[in-house]
Structures are given as structure tokens and as C-alpha cells.
Amino acid sequence: MSVPLYEAKAELFRLLGHPVRIRVLELLQDGPTSVRELLAAIEVEPTGLSQHLAVLRRSSMVTAQREGNTMVYALAGGRVAELLRAARVLLTEKLTGQNELLSELLADEANSGVS
Amino acid sequence: MSVPLYEAKAELFRLLGHPVRIRVLELLQDGPTSVRELLAAIEVEPTGLSQHLAVLRRSSMVTAQREGNTMVYALAGGRVAELLRAARVLLTEKLTGQNELLSELLADEANSGVS
DNA sequence: ATCGTAATTGCGAAAATGCGCAATTGCATT
DNA sequence: AATGCAATTGCGCATTTTCGCAATTACGAT
């Protein structure tokens, strides 16, 4: 293969690695959405949103379609949603883990009277 | 929550978005691995590997443990592997899709004689 | 044909990322 | 304590990424 798989993976993750792009993909999970709706939902300048949408388009993660005067974007495939779900699982697990650790630390502290 | 979940997601993906780091995580899936082994497997300078390992450590994706004179790294949790698997599925699907498209285009070309 | 709204693109400045060198730390051996 | 190996850190430089402004394209309405 001309491009090693791990390079492609890294690129995929890199493209996902921006808050606005994540936000867009999350919103598109609820169905096709116009740029105006995205703009209303995501705190970002129109020009910035366009650039991020272009990134997602170039990597074929979303599709764009004209509808009269407005552009409607949609997820290109269901697999992206799986990635987002996996990330959410990992993060929630990590956060609850931290909370548990914090609880334990606080309990220990209370017991031993560490300053 | 002080940090929105989508920010955390973006950060997670951003941290995964480098070939060396992907490579490290893939190697660690086969079990704990010393830095020397990683160096032998990954074409990268020692200093560069250290920096990428530091990134993975800071984000708690891997754990480091001294073993005599060498450092042994391991995956911090099983969830990272799920993310990598999801990415692989997405990419293979995308690549086979492209191949199918290419085949169709070639077939059409042969039929219509497009130059 | 002109105007107005929607969305995108080009471009330069600012910020973040990655890289390699030199210096440092940690541990084992002598 | 001095030497050697393993790994990391500090730091400057080059590259990449991101952002906002101005200009442009695309379409519908007048």
C-alpha cells in the first residue's frame, strides 16, 4: 500500500481533532442540517465554519447538497458516529475514574488527617 | 461541567492524530513494551519518541513503569484499542468503497470509450 | 439586469505542533 | 564517586494549523 494504514489513521484522528468539527459531526447525527442551522448552534464565524466544513468534505466525512439558496450537509457514512461514540465512552469512563480516585483520596485524607 | 464534552473529544482525537503515537498505541496492544523495543520498531529519534510518549502519558492513555534500567510502557485502558479498531473499520470501508468506485468508473470508461 | 442573502475562497497574521541538538536525570556497575 | 547506558527535558527553528477580513461565487427575487 502506498500509504501505511497507521498514517491514514493518524490523519483521520487529526481531522477529527477540532472542537468545531466535532460539534458539526455531532449535530449531523440528528439528520441533515443547513449551514445556517449549524451557524446558529455552534459559536463560530461563517468563514470559519466554511473552512471546517471544507475539511470534512475533502476527507469525505460529510456530503454537501444545494437546496435552493442554502447548503445542506449530512454525514457521509455511519462509521463516523461509531468513532464519536467510542470517544464518548472512553471519556466518560476516564472522568468517572477520576471522580472515584478523587473520592478515595478524600476518604484517605479524612481518615489519616493528612494536612 | 467546566470543559464541554466536545472539547474533550476534540482534544482526544487531536492527541491521537500523529503517526508515531498511533504506532506506539498499536504496538502496546500486544502487551507492555520497553522504549528500546519501540525505538527498534518505529523509525523515530529517541528524543522524538520520548516527546510523543510524554503526550500519551499526560493524557493518561499509557502508563510508564521503571524496570531496572529501562522504561516499560503499557496501555492505560482497553478503550483506546476500541477507538483504533473503529478507525480501522472506517478506513477499510472507505478504501474498498473507493476501489469499487474506481472499478465502476473503469467499466463505464470501457463501455463508452471516453478518452 | 440588479440586488440581497447564503456560503465559499484567497490571503496574511497569529498560534500551535513537531523536530533535532545539547544538556540533564535515573539507575546500575565498577 | 565515577563511568556508562536509557530515557527525558529544555530550547530554538521550521512547518502546519487556525482565524478573520476582503473579495467572490451561486442562487432567488424584484
Side-chain angles (χ1 to χ4, degrees), chain A residues 35-36 47 50-51 53 57 69-71 73:
Chain A
V35 172
R36 197 162 346 96
T47 184
S50 267
Q51 286 165 345
L53 287 173
R57 256 187 287 123
N69 208 355
T70 75
M71 293 292 289
Y73 280 80

Side-chain angles (χ1 to χ4, degrees), chain A residues 1-9 11, chain B residues 95:
Chain A
M1 53 195 114
S2 59
V3 171
L5 188 54
Y6 62 85
E7 293 261 10
K9 270 190 213 173
E11 164 111 345
Chain B
L95 291 176

Side-chain angles (χ1 to χ4, degrees), chain B residues 14-92:
Chain B
R14 191 170 52 79
L15 295 175
L16 290 172
H18 191 287
V20 170
R21 297 198 283 263
I22 292 291
R23 206 80 188 75
V24 167
L25 293 174
E26 283 178 341
L27 289 167
L28 292 188
Q29 290 188 64
D30 299 335
T33 311
S34 69
V35 172
R36 198 163 343 96
E37 290 171 311
L38 293 175
L39 269 175
I42 303 189
E43 197 157 339
V44 63
E45 307 285 323
T47 185
L49 180 58
S50 268
Q51 285 166 347
H52 290 297
L53 288 173
V55 170
L56 295 175
R57 253 187 291 122
R58 278 195 293 268
S59 52
S60 300
M61 284 193 260
V62 304
T63 60
Q65 190 184 346
R66 241 190 205 296
E67 207 143 294
N69 208 355
T70 75
M71 292 291 290
V72 176
Y73 280 81
L75 285 188
R79 299 303 188 180
V80 175
E82 291 184 28
L83 260 181
L84 295 177
R85 194 181 50 75
R88 204 196 57 229
V89 169
L90 188 154
L91 287 173
T92 52

Side-chain angles (χ1 to χ4, degrees), chain A:
Chain A
M1 53 195 114
S2 59
V3 171
L5 188 54
Y6 62 85
E7 293 261 10
K9 270 190 213 173
E11 164 111 345
L12 172 61
F13 286 127
R14 189 170 54 79
L15 295 175
L16 289 172
H18 191 287
V20 170
R21 297 198 283 266
I22 291 291
R23 205 79 189 77
V24 166
L25 294 173
E26 283 179 341
L27 289 167
L28 292 189
Q29 289 188 66
D30 299 335
T33 311
S34 69
V35 172
R36 197 162 346 96
E37 290 171 312
L38 293 174
L39 269 174
I42 303 184
E43 196 157 338
V44 63
E45 307 284 324
T47 184
L49 180 58
S50 267
Q51 286 165 345
H52 290 297
L53 287 173
V55 169
L56 296 174
R57 256 187 287 123
R58 277 195 294 268
S59 53
S60 299
M61 285 193 258
V62 304
T63 60
Q65 188 183 346
R66 238 185 209 299
E67 208 144 293
N69 208 355
T70 75
M71 293 292 289
V72 176
Y73 280 80
L75 285 187
R79 300 303 187 178
V80 176
E82 292 184 28
L83 261 181
L84 295 177
R85 195 182 50 76
R88 189 171 46 82
V89 170
L90 188 153
L91 288 174
T92 52
E93 194 167 273
K94 180 172 159 186
L95 292 177
T96 60
Q98 280 178 207
N99 287 344
E100 286 170 12
L101 179 59
L102 181 59
S103 302
E104 289 176 23
L105 287 174
L106 290 173
D108 287 359
E109 202 170 299
N111 289 341
S112 61
V114 174
S115 62

Side-chain angles (χ1 to χ4, degrees), chain B residues 97-114:
Chain B
Q98 280 182 346
N99 287 344
E100 286 170 12
L101 179 59
L102 181 59
S103 302
E104 290 176 22
L105 286 174
L106 291 174
D108 287 358
E109 202 170 301
N111 289 341
S112 62
V114 174

